[in-house]
Amino acid sequence: MKQAYQKPIPVMQPWTKEFWKATKDHILLIQTCKECKSKIFYPRKFCPECWSGNLDWIEAGGKGKVFAFTITRDMVEPKFMTDLPYVLAMVTLEEGIRMMTRIVECDPEKVEMGMDVEVVFEDISEECSLPMFRPIKK
Ligand SMILES: [Zn+2]
């Protein structure tokens, strides 16, 4: 039997449930505002631009570019030690929003700013999968 996931699992909130539910199907959703058309990340109760509660979802294409990153080599919570070294990154999606994520399936030393990446999902529980990004093979 596969060992249960040891690392922290996202806490579902009524306003994030839709986002996490979609990750189970390996779909990345972006919250949008029906009033001012803003794209919103992370999911919220109200639009951060116009404070409307009239929000919706669109499906992201799943492609983006590395905006910034750091290679984590040591000094992390013990549950993450087996992952070292790993790349923590900000990725700007084609839709314009920016996500904090990890770059996977790649030698950490090969990660570059501006690198083209695509979303992949790590299945961690019955409720959700974690969106991460890997380089797009050329
Ligand atoms: Zn708005």
Side-chain angles (χ1 to χ4, degrees):
M1 202 184 101
K2 202 178 156 194
Q3 199 189 5
Y5 189 74
Q6 300 292 316
K7 288 173 264 185
I9 289 176
V11 178
M12 302 291 150
Q13 303 288 358
W15 56 94
T16 63
K17 204 184 266 174
E18 198 71 19
F19 176 85
W20 291 117
K21 221 171 79 187
T23 63
K24 274 318 287 176
D25 298 321
H26 293 190
I27 292 169
L28 185 63
L29 290 182
I30 299 175
Q31 199 177 34
T32 59
C33 175
K34 286 184 180 175
E35 301 301 328
C36 75
K37 311 297 177 202
S38 291
K39 295 189 178 79
I40 304 161
F41 189 83
Y42 46 92
R44 292 167 227 223
K45 287 190 264 188
F46 300 102
C47 171
E49 300 298 326
C50 75
W51 299 107
S52 168
N54 193 7
L55 306 176
D56 204 359
W57 302 93
I58 56 165
E59 190 176 328
K63 292 192 169 77
K65 285 180 187 298
V66 174
F67 174 75
F69 70 97
T70 184
I71 303 174
T72 307
R73 299 176 195 276
D74 204 354
M75 303 294 279
V76 293
E77 141 73 38
K79 288 175 182 141
F80 290 90
M81 288 297 249
T82 54
D83 296 351
L84 293 172
Y86 62 84
V87 179
L88 198 59
M90 297 283 287
V91 165
T92 308
L93 296 186
E94 284 177 342
E95 289 82 1
I97 60 140
R98 200 166 278 158
M99 293 178 67
M100 178 74 87
T101 185
R102 271 166 70 165
I103 307 298
V104 295
E105 298 178 33
C106 177
D107 177 351
E109 303 297 333
K110 299 264 160 59
V111 176
E112 294 174 353
M113 278 162 66
M115 179 185 243
D116 292 315
V117 289
E118 64 187 359
V119 72
V120 286
F121 291 88
E122 184 186 355
D123 298 317
I124 62 164
S125 77
E126 294 300 316
E127 286 75 41
C128 69
S129 304
L130 293 181
M132 300 184 181
F133 288 78
R134 69 180 174 200
I136 294 175
K137 292 193 175 66
K138 290 185 179 142

